[in-house]
Amino acid sequence: MSDLPPMTSIKRWFVTTNHKDVGVLYLATALFFLLFGGVLALVFRAHLWEAGGTGLLSGNEFNQAVSTHGLLMVFWFLSPFAAGFANYFVPLQIGADDLAFPRMNALSYWFYLFSGILIAISFFQQGSFAGGWTMYAPLNVPTYTPAMEATTGGNATVLALLLFVFSITIGTVNFLVTIHRSRAEGLGLWNMPMFTWSWLLTVWMMLFAFAALLAALLLLSIDRIFLTQYFATDQGSGLLWAHLFWFFGHPEVYIVFFPALGIMFETFQTFTGRRLVGRKWVIIAMVLVAVQSFLVWMHHMFLTTINLEITTLFMATTIGISLPFDLMVFALIYTMVKGRVRFTTPFLFSLGALVLFILGGITGVFLGAVVLDYEFRGTYWVVAHFHYVMVSGVTALIAGLYYWWPKITGKMYSETLGKLNFAVYFIGFNLLYFPMFLAWETPRRVFNYGEGMQIYHQMATVGAFVLGSSFLIMFFTLAKSWVSGPDAPDNPWEFSRTAEWAIPSPPPLENWDGRPSYASGRLEFVDDSAAATDGGVATGHAETTTESAHEDVHADHASIWPLGIGLGTFVFFLGLTGITPYTVSFATERGLEGVGTGAETSILYPALIAAGLAILAVTLFKFGVEEFNAPEMPVAERWPFEGVGNTKMGVWVFLASDVVVFGAAIGAFIFMRIHTGWSEWTTVPFASWPGLLNTYILLTSSFTVILALVFAERQNKKGLLTAMGATLLLGLAFMSVKAYEYSVKFSHGDYWWNGIEYSIYFVTTGLHALHVILGLLVAVFMIYRIISVDAYLEDHRPVEFFGLYWHFVDIVWVFLFPLFYLM
């Protein structure tokens, strides 16, 4: 399926892989989750109208509303809304035809949508998660939910987050490959538009931060569903969750804010009529923040048992990370002072975002000081500061919506309504959040408060409804524009300077009539068809190849299989949400004391698991065999990755993320072993010989993968088939030894719930085994393709890419073997 239906067809939105369509889907879906989370906020703010806790909600209902509101806003609205702009405009700003992997881009969206549906369903599964959006241990494990029946909705929330992180990971790899390898000729990294720069740094942070969150969520979901002991108080450690979560959580603040900052840079330049002051230094400051963001996570843990020296170090890094932001703020202010400001709707929202962020940043420095943090931690001061930072980012994203609305829709909106929207928004924002500073003695996430704080909470509740009404004005303004607004010119802003304004509004499907080029120092569109050559010529960092051949290659824009894979994964995860009672029954039959089933087991959830796996099997196979053309740009800036193809770079970037996942799992083992006492740790494997044997097996399989690549390069089908078959057999031998090892442990009554040592052994080696299984499934598919269509003889690169993954799995085992079998 390569032909894309018209935009008026519903079918188009189920099959599209075009980056602009996917961007629109992200924007529309994120706005829905904004409404979802916003309604929850209005409900619990109404509950807090009076002191004493006699409001609309029970304690558990209040906790569910607050927790889900936080999760929806941080995960399902803020980052995806920015991703919508990035999907639409980053390829246009850098002169690309599309993202590097269009089908994976569509898959990223469908994972995002289905993850949101899963968290919505959790409310209908005896209640959603109620332990706060940070999911602090031990409130994140079933032992501390009101009843065992409530674990299903909690499981759904955790698994929804897991599916959301899958979406983020796929999108991150896609953008990194695209920005580094698909920039128009002459467009160096330093000269990229500021929004693209902000998004590049955002996805680099996402790559590693969300990998840490993925590891934390994997451990948490296994704790909840299979009763392991990572975060239970009797065996595991709540401090472990805090380290894993905040290693993700603090970079997430900048992941959320950087795209908003990029929009502020773009709109300030456009509506002041001058280039951003200190542009080079602003980029350097952003790079510094991106790196430093991973070095400050422990300031969220000042009240734990970390010693004074570590506390002082992290206080210094926390205050230090504010300094680059000072430079960015002054750059924006000087740009405004030295330019001629045009107070349009986008600029008003950007200016408002700057004002709000300054106040949020200053109040955040208070929390960076240990002494003040002891006083403010866990109070509404943190709530107010957090929202002044995060929702100032929302303010800038709304500026982006107004700024790019004419380009996306081809319609102009009413400036009068837009400015009214800003006025109501800005008043509502401050009326909602500023009183929280005054009510700072109120404990956060508590459904009642003292009478002395009532006036501040009532002001905040009024502000919440005013802020909510501003979004109704926004939706009305944009709907009126969509239905009856005047047609927008290609460039409605006099001083806009990025490439998206050089093409029609809305842009055509293929983006460009000619090839975008900055070789002359400014944007031009080059027609290479008359000057096509027979060979390739390298010029600087740009590669020039025959253009006539490129024009004969039709780029596809439609595939139904990303939707199918998303649906199958959703059904599978929905089935997993209700498996806990089966696990409890299985465990109690085998001697786990003190745990009752607590819920009736139902055949529904195992049936959903089976159905999800069946859908995945079919759709993944169809995805693999589908003929889908996404040609690389023949002429592009690729520094510093000139010699690496798109897919190869994508594999390397994905593996870099996977390093963090395994690093977190191994780090959890080291942390818990030190926490328990290194010499007191129980060694789980009954013998070292299975681990040693599996080491030899995997190392041998790496050799057979290399042989497969050699045979593919020589176009030797028989040799390629033999080498791939040997790799498959060696992988099966590895799994057989692992199955024997597990069976011996089970026969001795050693299960993963017996203690933290057993949990870590089974989960870490099981995570590696899951990677082996996935590799074996790919090997089976590749063998099928070799037999059926003589695949990989003309193009051996897929064999090389499979080898990279397989070697990575082998290297991980080389680390696991001594940790679990020799120490």
Side-chain angles (χ1 to χ4, degrees):
M1 180 186 296
S2 60
D3 295 329
L4 191 61
M7 295 190 73
T8 53
S9 169
I10 296 178
K11 179 181 178 183
R12 177 188 180 110
W13 302 100
F14 288 113
V15 303
T16 183
T17 64
N18 181 263
H19 72 97
K20 297 181 294 295
D21 292 345
V22 174
V24 170
L25 288 171
Y26 263 107
L27 291 171
T29 308
L31 286 172
F32 168 78
F33 287 118
L34 167 68
L35 293 176
F36 187 179
V39 168
L40 290 174
L42 293 178
V43 169
F44 68 71
R45 280 310 324 171
H47 168 88
L48 293 170
W49 180 256
E50 292 183 350
T54 57
L56 300 174
L57 306 172
S58 67
N60 188 49
E61 290 169 344
F62 180 88
N63 289 337
Q64 289 182 51
V66 170
S67 303
T68 310
H69 162 77
L71 289 168
L72 286 171
M73 291 304 198
V74 171
F75 293 103
W76 277 272
F77 169 61
L78 277 164
S79 289
F81 197 53
F85 291 129
N87 265 279
Y88 203 107
F89 292 108
V90 164
L92 295 178
Q93 289 195 339
I94 65 175
D97 298 326
D98 204 322
L99 289 182
F101 311 111
R103 289 192 301 169
M104 299 303 288
N105 191 31
L107 179 60
S108 174
Y109 168 74
W110 292 114
F111 276 173
Y112 161 57
L113 175 64
F114 283 121
S115 69
I117 295 173
L118 191 57
I119 195 174
I121 290 174
S122 69
F123 283 98
F124 302 96
Q125 294 179 295
Q126 296 89 39
S128 187
F129 186 81
W133 81 271
T134 55
M135 297 186 167
Y136 280 146
L139 296 178
N140 56 13
V141 292
T143 306
Y144 293 89
T145 51
M148 201 65 179
E149 288 85 354
T151 62
T152 306
N155 289 349
T157 304
V158 175
L159 291 171
L161 268 173
L162 201 60
L163 185 53
F164 176 81
V165 176
F166 288 172
S167 165
I168 289 290
T169 304
I170 294 170
T172 295
V173 172
N174 212 345
F175 275 108
L176 286 172
V177 174
T178 302
I179 296 173
H180 281 296
R181 284 192 44 82
S182 300
R183 301 189 307 278
E185 178 187 20
L187 183 62
L189 284 174
W190 275 114
N191 297 319
M192 290 193 309
M194 291 304 297
F195 177 72
T196 298
W197 250 114
S198 71
W199 188 251
L200 175 62
L201 294 174
T202 297
V203 290
W204 271 117
M205 288 188 287
M206 280 181 170
L207 182 71
F208 301 111
F210 275 92
L213 179 63
L214 175 61
L217 291 170
L218 283 171
L219 301 183
L220 176 57
S221 58
I222 294 170
D223 256 17
R224 293 183 64 91
I225 296 172
F226 297 109
L227 309 181
T228 52
Q229 301 289 315
Y230 276 94
F231 306 118
T233 51
D234 57 337
Q235 291 281 339
S237 170
L239 200 59
L240 173 61
W241 172 263
H243 279 294
L244 290 173
F245 181 86
W246 286 118
F247 188 78
F248 148 79
H250 203 80
E252 169 68 0
V253 175
Y254 308 110
I255 287 168
V256 166
F257 192 74
F258 263 33
L261 197 58
I263 290 172
M264 292 163 66
F265 292 143
E266 296 286 1
T267 52
F268 267 67
Q269 290 183 127
T270 296
F271 298 111
T272 62
R274 66 165 293 123
R275 186 179 173 91
L276 181 67
V277 172
R279 185 181 188 275
K280 180 195 299 185
W281 294 104
V282 168
I283 294 172
I284 292 172
M286 293 172 69
V287 173
L288 287 175
V289 169
V291 174
Q292 281 183 269
S293 68
F294 291 92
L295 305 176
V296 297
W297 82 92
M298 220 178 289
H299 73 223
H300 294 275
M301 302 163 63
F302 281 163
L303 300 188
T304 63
T305 56
I306 56 178
N307 61 40
L308 180 61
E309 290 77 12
I310 297 296
T311 301
T312 305
L313 173 63
F314 277 87
M315 180 177 70
T317 59
T318 301
I319 295 173
I321 203 171
S322 67
L323 300 179
F325 274 110
D326 296 340
L327 188 151
M328 297 180 220
V329 168
F330 282 116
L332 287 169
I333 292 172
Y334 280 122
T335 302
M336 185 169 54
V337 168
K338 294 187 176 183
R340 290 175 51 193
V341 176
R342 294 155 181 81
F343 288 98
T344 61
T345 301
F347 182 80
L348 286 172
F349 273 98
S350 290
L351 179 60
L354 178 62
V355 172
L356 299 174
F357 176 72
I358 290 173
L359 184 55
I362 291 172
T363 55
V365 174
F366 282 56
L367 296 170
V370 177
V371 175
L372 291 175
D373 185 73
Y374 270 69
E375 191 70 21
F376 288 136
R377 176 66 61 195
T379 71
Y380 262 60
W381 182 280
V382 177
V383 178
H385 153 70
F386 181 80
H387 284 85
Y388 263 90
V389 172
M390 302 294 270
V391 189
S392 69
V394 176
T395 311
L397 292 174
I398 296 173
L401 184 60
Y402 278 110
Y403 180 60
W404 281 311
W405 178 263
K407 179 57 60 179
I408 296 173
T409 64
K411 298 286 187 177
M412 294 301 295
Y413 51 82
S414 167
E415 275 289 337
T416 302
L417 286 175
K419 291 175 180 178
L420 174 64
N421 180 198
F422 170 74
V424 176
Y425 177 94
F426 198 75
I427 293 169
F429 181 104
N430 288 284
L431 186 58
L432 168 58
Y433 297 120
F434 192 80
M436 295 182 185
F437 286 121
L438 305 178
W440 69 270
E441 292 179 290
T442 306
R444 65 189 302 196
R445 302 194 191 102
V446 175
F447 61 90
N448 57 22
Y449 53 88
E451 291 186 4
M453 300 291 109
Q454 181 166 298
I455 182 62
Y456 304 125
H457 283 281
Q458 289 182 343
M459 291 171 63
T461 298
V462 171
F465 281 89
V466 173
L467 182 63
S469 68
S470 75
F471 286 100
L472 296 180
I473 297 172
M474 182 188 79
F475 287 124
F476 174 78
T477 303
L478 298 181
K480 184 173 182 294
S481 166
W482 179 272
V483 173
S484 59
D487 291 340
D490 293 347
N491 183 6
W493 317 122
E494 184 179 358
F495 294 106
S496 58
R497 59 183 70 231
T498 47
E500 72 268 26
W501 302 110
I503 55 177
S505 300
L509 179 65
E510 302 290 348
N511 292 350
W512 323 102
D513 288 334
R515 174 172 61 82
S517 172
Y518 290 87
S520 65
R522 63 187 184 88
L523 177 62
E524 296 177 333
F525 294 95
V526 180
D527 182 5
D528 286 329
S529 57
T533 60
D534 294 330
V537 180
T539 307
H541 295 309
E543 297 174 6
T544 305
T545 62
T546 173
E547 192 71 16
S548 57
H550 172 62
E551 288 182 347
D552 292 335
V553 177
H554 172 67
D556 294 326
H557 296 286
S559 174
I560 191 64
W561 304 119
L563 169 59
I565 295 170
L567 176 63
T569 309
F570 165 73
V571 173
F572 173 68
F573 274 33
L574 185 60
L576 284 179
T577 65
I579 291 299
T580 305
Y582 290 88
T583 308
V584 174
S585 300
F586 179 83
T588 50
E589 290 172 4
R590 286 154 181 80
L592 181 63
E593 298 178 358
V595 177
T597 58
E600 292 292 329
T601 55
S602 167
I603 194 63
L604 172 64
Y605 291 105
L608 286 171
I609 290 176
L613 289 174
I615 296 171
L616 276 174
V618 173
T619 54
L620 284 169
F621 176 78
K622 292 291 187 179
F623 185 93
V625 299
E626 182 181 41
E627 293 293 334
F628 187 90
N629 231 346
E632 292 188 21
M633 292 172 60
V635 182
E637 291 285 343
R638 312 194 196 278
W639 185 88
F641 299 102
E642 296 99 330
V644 184
N646 282 359
T647 306
K648 188 174 183 178
M649 182 182 173
V651 172
W652 277 114
V653 171
F654 166 75
L655 293 180
S657 175
D658 216 12
V659 166
V660 177
V661 174
F662 274 107
I666 294 171
F669 162 63
I670 295 173
F671 176 89
M672 289 307 305
R673 184 157 184 176
I674 294 173
H675 180 73
T676 304
W678 192 271
S679 61
E680 299 174 10
W681 189 262
T682 302
T683 302
V684 175
F686 66 94
S688 59
W689 69 262
L692 181 62
L693 177 58
N694 267 343
T695 303
Y696 284 125
I697 290 173
L698 280 187
L699 291 177
T700 305
S701 71
S702 274
F703 176 71
T704 58
V705 167
I706 294 172
L707 283 179
L709 179 59
V710 171
F711 285 124
E713 291 173 341
R714 295 178 179 178
Q715 298 186 345
N716 184 332
K717 178 180 177 179
K718 184 176 180 181
L720 173 59
L721 194 59
T722 301
M724 288 298 298
T727 303
L728 176 64
L729 291 176
L730 288 167
L732 292 173
F734 174 90
M735 292 304 302
S736 299
V737 174
K738 181 59 61 181
Y740 167 76
E741 184 180 339
Y742 282 5
S743 66
V744 171
K745 300 304 298 179
F746 296 158
S747 68
H748 294 162
D750 296 332
Y751 295 95
W752 53 86
W753 60 75
N754 285 7
I756 185 63
E757 300 95 336
Y758 295 90
S759 295
I760 288 179
Y761 161 72
F762 281 110
V763 169
T764 310
T765 58
L767 178 63
H768 177 265
L770 177 62
H771 280 69
V772 174
I773 292 171
L774 294 176
L776 292 177
L777 292 175
V778 173
V780 169
F781 175 78
M782 294 180 73
I783 290 171
Y784 162 79
R785 296 282 286 171
I786 295 168
I787 295 173
S788 61
V789 295
D790 293 341
Y792 320 125
L793 299 179
E794 296 296 330
D795 182 3
H796 63 267
R797 289 177 300 173
V799 180
E800 180 185 4
F801 305 148
F802 170 74
L804 290 175
Y805 173 83
W806 195 256
H807 296 324
F808 169 77
V809 173
D810 294 353
I811 291 170
V812 170
W813 180 256
V814 170
F815 282 93
L816 296 185
F817 170 59
L819 283 174
F820 287 99
Y821 294 86
L822 302 180
M823 297 176 66

